Amino acid sequence: MFAKLAQPFPLGATLCDQGCNFSIHCPENKEIKLVLFDHNNKKTFIELENQHLDIHYTFVAGINKGQVYGYQIKDKNETRLILDPYAQALNKVPYYIEPFTADRSWHFAKSVVVDHCFDWQGTTLPQVPLEETIIFETHVKGFTKQHPEVEEKYQGTYLGLCQPAMIKYFKEQGVTSLQLLPVTSCMSEPHLLKMDKVNYWGYNSLCFMVPEPRYATEDPVTEMKTMVRELHRHGIEVIMDIVFNHTAEGGEGGPKFHFKCLDKHYYQLDTHKNYKNHTGCGNTFDLTYQPSLNIVLDTLRHWVTNYKIDGFRFDLAATLGRNGDRFNPQSAFFKAVAQDPILRQVKLIAEPWDIGPDGYQLGYFPRGWNECNDKFRDTVKSYWLCQENNVKEFATRIMGSRDLFSAGCWPDKLPVNFVSYHDGFTLQDLVSYNQKHNHANGENNRDGHGDNRSNNQGVEGETTNYAILSRRERQKRNLMTTLIFSFGIPHILAVDALSHTQGGNNNAYCQDNAISWADWSPCKDKSDFSQWLATMLERRKTYMSPFIRAFSGRKRGHHRIHWNRSNGQPMNAEDWQGLEAFSLYLGLFDTGKELLFLVNSSKIPTRYRLPEGSKWQVVCDTSEATLGSRQVQTTYMQGAHSLTVLYRD
């Protein structure tokens, strides 16, 4: 009766008025069966009587949203229950006790049929221009878990992130775009389960289309949509950090949740049919394989269409363009995204590397992709914190890394500049620790990056020494001012606005506790820095964004750029080898608006001669803890190890 309603596409569970179509790609397990579960966990087994292109499918009448289901397969003479890779919800938080046997698979989280009807209440997409974008990277749970003005039941949830107190904070801080650490369903790695820890960051995808149930009070689907809707209502974009380079199934011997049982070719395989490991996680997803490419593209459209997501940050994105051991910027994935009428309209941000051969690809992603610029991070930290007087490199980075990202392709190729990210030291720890302190992770401090380029200013960790605290605050202002007033898209770790410390832990991926949770406890110094940062972000919008627009595209060569010594004379070749005090002058067209950067990395105050003309407005001086409003004209005394930004129109 319902045979004509059964269709191979779309894959997954698709509701209609009469019931639900179930469809799954499964070339390697011909005895697969659909399993439906009622409220008492009673099982109903249904044959998938239709096949097309290795897809098994059927239509089941009378199915409603909330139906719990899975698929039974034969695995070495045992029956195993697997998840639908196209599942859009889970019935509970996934968890198991090692080892993940076929018997335990029946007690694991199960797939749930979803109805995506939702009242968006007429909200529209913010569509923030790239040159005005301010990215705040945050964790859904961690940012509100300890917030005193968020009701306890909402702390650490999707709904917590859109409570009035949080909206007010984001607006006051100048946030345009929240970049959320993975909110797709995640499964902690076996070694964490053995230590009774969790993958707090979420970089271990279970089902690509499922919102992580840990962050919901009741219904993850509705609550995540509500979060997006309320943030959009206030003009704030939502960018998802998403992981397609590997899955939670791991390498050889890893758990079997779906892909491994359905088709081993979802993953890159070597000549011995073992899984390749270009990500450090044991199983590299293979986007040269059509079913793998399909689910990735279907997933992206799913989030944009059903959740109105504004963009994606792709973890270890070099993997997405891989063909075996080589990276190809003309790969099928990039071409498919570029022609997709839905996906080509959203922000696409790449972490342009993985750990495999040919894995570092900064600057080589196609037009329409912005890239996380670790060259900026390393150069700026080295310049301010390690006293590496790399003037030429520093100048290149603040001018938009045009050795890697041509201004002719701006703003769509603006680099995403950052100083701190979820991995690595927080801003506060960059100026408070020389060494990583990751003992809480249970790996004898062996994990985490060793190249921190940090400087504790004389004391490791907490101190009451006023001179050291003062130097730390100045260094934070140096780093943030350089980030905010460089050409590019500033990426700010949200907890940095709170001067949050992780106690020197630079790899807190498994710390679902106060180490990672944002510290909202009142503190005058922290409050002062937060206000300073908010004001600086507002001033970036006023003073810097117009320069980024003007220096982008065809008219980029019609403006004035001068690099001078502190005495106002042009820098020569020798100066570029290590001059400690220099200035950068930017002027629009022949007589337009002007910016002047006074950079002094020396240990002594330096007097700068300013370009002649009308008075300059002091946008900021990092040697000062507060942001005032004053003007100067002929000279300016710049404090040691600090920088000033001046403006006039």
Side-chain angles (χ1 to χ4, degrees):
M1 179 178 179
F2 296 98
K4 65 180 181 180
L5 293 175
Q7 299 291 332
F9 300 107
L11 291 169
T14 307
L15 275 176
C16 71
D17 292 342
Q18 294 107 318
C20 186
N21 190 74
F22 293 90
S23 179
I24 188 167
H25 169 79
C26 180
E28 291 190 4
N29 217 302
K30 304 302 182 183
E31 298 182 36
I32 187 168
K33 293 181 181 180
L34 173 67
V35 187
L36 303 179
F37 297 85
D38 67 11
H39 295 299
N40 297 316
N41 207 37
K42 180 181 178 182
K43 308 175 188 68
T44 300
F45 295 88
I46 297 176
E47 297 289 341
L48 299 167
E49 67 271 20
N50 305 293
Q51 293 189 35
H52 174 70
L53 297 177
D54 292 325
I55 294 170
H56 300 244
Y57 61 99
T58 191
F59 186 88
V60 184
I63 297 294
N64 297 309
K65 69 176 183 179
Q67 173 67 56
V68 177
Y69 73 101
Y71 289 96
Q72 176 185 278
I73 56 93
K74 285 290 184 66
D75 179 28
K76 296 180 180 178
N77 298 319
E78 294 183 297
T79 57
R80 177 182 291 272
L81 185 72
I82 62 169
L83 291 164
D84 180 357
Y86 275 75
Q88 298 183 18
L90 297 177
N91 69 333
K92 63 181 180 181
V93 175
Y95 177 79
Y96 68 90
I97 297 174
E98 275 272 279
F100 188 56
T101 61
D103 179 64
R104 286 176 177 166
S105 71
W106 292 88
H107 305 281
F108 191 63
K110 299 172 180 64
S111 308
V112 177
V113 175
V114 171
D115 181 354
H116 280 292
C117 289
F118 181 77
D119 184 5
W120 290 96
Q121 300 179 358
T123 53
T124 58
L125 303 178
Q127 295 184 317
V128 180
L130 287 168
E131 67 272 18
E132 297 179 10
T133 299
I134 306 291
I135 295 175
F136 261 46
E137 183 195 25
T138 192
H139 189 283
V140 167
K141 179 178 180 179
F143 205 56
T144 64
K145 183 62 178 175
Q146 300 186 112
H147 198 294
E149 296 178 40
V150 173
E151 193 175 344
E152 185 175 355
K153 67 178 180 179
Y154 295 132
Q155 290 177 346
T157 68
Y158 298 115
L159 296 179
L161 210 58
C162 64
Q163 292 300 299
M166 297 309 305
I167 297 291
K168 179 183 177 183
Y169 172 79
F170 293 138
K171 297 296 287 184
E172 289 178 347
Q173 205 65 43
V175 178
T176 71
S177 310
L178 284 184
Q179 180 176 300
L180 307 180
L181 268 73
V183 291
T184 54
S185 60
C186 163
M187 187 62 235
S188 298
E189 293 86 344
H191 77 277
L192 291 178
L193 295 174
K194 291 176 181 177
M195 294 190 292
D196 198 26
K197 296 181 182 294
V198 299
N199 188 318
Y200 170 72
W201 287 347
Y203 289 94
N204 206 38
S205 302
L206 182 60
C207 291
F208 295 144
M209 299 184 186
V210 174
E212 172 56 53
R214 285 182 293 175
Y215 310 144
T217 60
E218 295 180 4
D219 178 8
V221 172
T222 300
E223 292 174 29
M224 182 173 169
K225 290 179 181 178
T226 302
M227 175 195 72
V228 175
R229 183 188 67 196
E230 296 310 305
L231 290 169
H232 280 182
R233 192 189 304 279
H234 295 275
I236 300 171
E237 295 181 322
V238 178
I239 297 172
M240 287 178 59
D241 195 335
I242 200 157
V243 185
F244 292 127
N245 55 74
H246 76 285
T247 74
E249 292 188 300
E252 302 294 335
K256 298 175 182 179
F257 299 121
H258 38 50
F259 291 131
K260 281 183 176 179
C261 299
L262 296 169
D263 185 354
K264 194 172 185 178
H265 290 87
Y266 273 113
Y267 300 111
Q268 285 191 20
L269 305 172
D270 63 22
T271 55
H272 301 291
K273 303 301 181 182
N274 295 319
Y275 297 110
K276 287 193 174 183
N277 183 16
H278 294 320
T279 65
C281 302
N283 57 337
T284 302
F285 214 59
D286 185 4
L287 268 66
T288 66
Y289 184 53
Q290 191 67 54
S292 298
L293 179 61
N294 289 349
I295 192 172
V296 167
L297 294 171
D298 291 343
T299 296
L300 295 174
R301 282 189 294 267
H302 161 76
W303 290 113
V304 175
T305 302
N306 294 320
Y307 291 81
K308 298 190 182 297
I309 293 299
D310 301 284
F312 301 93
R313 181 266 190 186
F314 296 83
D315 180 65
L316 299 181
T319 299
L320 306 182
R322 275 192 175 279
N323 186 354
D325 290 342
R326 306 301 299 176
F327 173 82
N328 181 9
Q330 304 299 320
S331 71
F333 171 72
F334 296 128
K335 296 293 187 183
V337 170
Q339 65 78 44
D340 192 292
I342 294 174
L343 302 180
R344 64 190 178 197
Q345 298 185 55
V346 303
K347 289 182 169 69
L348 302 171
I349 301 171
E351 183 182 37
W353 53 78
D354 61 22
I355 68 167
D358 201 30
Y360 187 75
Q361 294 295 329
L362 179 66
Y364 290 100
F365 276 67
R367 289 286 297 270
W369 286 74
N370 302 103
E371 301 174 42
C372 300
N373 187 5
D374 66 324
K375 293 284 190 185
F376 181 94
R377 173 199 64 193
D378 293 346
T379 299
V380 171
K381 289 197 300 185
S382 294
Y383 187 83
W384 288 116
L385 301 179
C386 303
Q387 285 77 53
E388 292 183 12
N389 207 7
N390 49 346
V391 180
K392 186 184 297 185
E393 184 80 4
F394 183 78
T396 300
R397 300 303 150 223
I398 62 176
M399 283 302 298
S401 298
R402 290 190 290 181
D403 57 331
L404 298 165
F405 308 99
S406 169
C409 299
W410 293 355
D412 60 289
K413 283 297 290 181
L414 279 171
V416 177
N417 295 329
F418 64 99
V419 171
S420 51
Y421 231 94
H422 63 271
D423 53 345
F425 279 152
T426 64
L427 179 67
Q428 187 65 40
D429 288 354
L430 278 174
V431 300
S432 304
Y433 293 90
N434 286 348
Q435 306 296 329
K436 62 181 180 180
H437 298 266
N438 298 354
H439 300 281
N441 295 354
E443 300 179 40
N444 296 318
N445 208 35
R446 293 191 301 267
D447 63 304
H449 210 297
D451 183 17
N452 294 298
R453 307 191 189 201
S454 58
N455 189 323
N456 64 19
Q457 311 304 314
V459 172
E460 187 78 352
E462 294 184 8
T463 181
T464 57
N465 185 302
Y466 177 79
I468 291 175
L469 293 174
S470 179
R471 287 200 298 271
R472 288 178 177 177
E473 290 303 307
R474 177 182 295 199
Q475 290 285 43
K476 286 163 59 179
R477 294 192 294 270
N478 284 336
L479 293 167
M480 285 291 100
T481 300
T482 306
L483 174 64
I484 291 168
F485 277 86
S486 291
F487 285 85
I489 300 169
H491 167 288
I492 297 171
L493 187 62
V495 294
D496 286 348
L498 304 174
S499 299
H500 179 79
T501 176
Q502 294 180 168
N505 192 321
N506 75 350
N507 189 37
Y509 76 105
C510 58
Q511 299 301 323
D512 188 4
N513 50 49
I515 291 175
S516 299
W517 299 343
D519 182 5
W520 294 91
S521 57
C523 171
K524 184 179 185 305
D525 288 344
K526 293 180 179 180
S527 177
D528 288 348
F529 178 75
S530 184
Q531 182 57 56
W532 176 90
L533 182 60
T535 304
M536 284 292 288
L537 291 173
E538 179 62 29
R539 292 184 178 183
R540 171 191 161 87
K541 181 178 179 180
T542 301
Y543 301 116
M544 189 66 195
S545 291
F547 277 79
I548 296 177
R549 280 193 291 271
F551 274 76
S552 299
R554 294 181 179 179
K555 295 185 178 181
R556 65 190 182 281
H558 295 242
H559 311 294
R560 294 159 284 156
I561 304 177
H562 303 300
W563 298 90
N564 295 328
R565 304 174 201 158
S566 58
N567 63 7
Q569 296 301 308
M571 291 174 62
N572 58 34
E574 184 178 350
D575 294 332
W576 285 105
Q577 304 309 309
L579 188 66
E580 291 185 317
F582 64 91
S583 70
L584 165 61
Y585 169 89
L586 302 174
L588 299 186
F589 299 101
D590 293 332
T591 58
K593 298 175 181 179
E594 300 166 287
L595 278 175
L596 185 64
F597 299 75
L598 311 179
V599 183
N600 181 16
S601 64
S602 72
K603 298 180 180 179
I604 58 174
T606 301
R607 183 170 296 279
Y608 284 74
R609 178 164 295 280
L610 307 180
E612 296 180 355
S614 59
K615 292 183 178 180
W616 293 85
Q617 178 181 342
V618 179
V619 176
C620 77
D621 183 339
T622 62
S623 67
E624 301 170 354
T626 58
L627 290 166
S629 178
R630 68 181 192 276
Q631 294 183 327
V632 294
Q633 188 160 13
T634 56
T635 64
Y636 190 87
M637 179 61 76
Q638 182 65 46
H641 216 66
S642 64
L643 75 109
T644 287
V645 179
L646 304 174
Y647 170 84
R648 69 183 178 189
D649 53 20

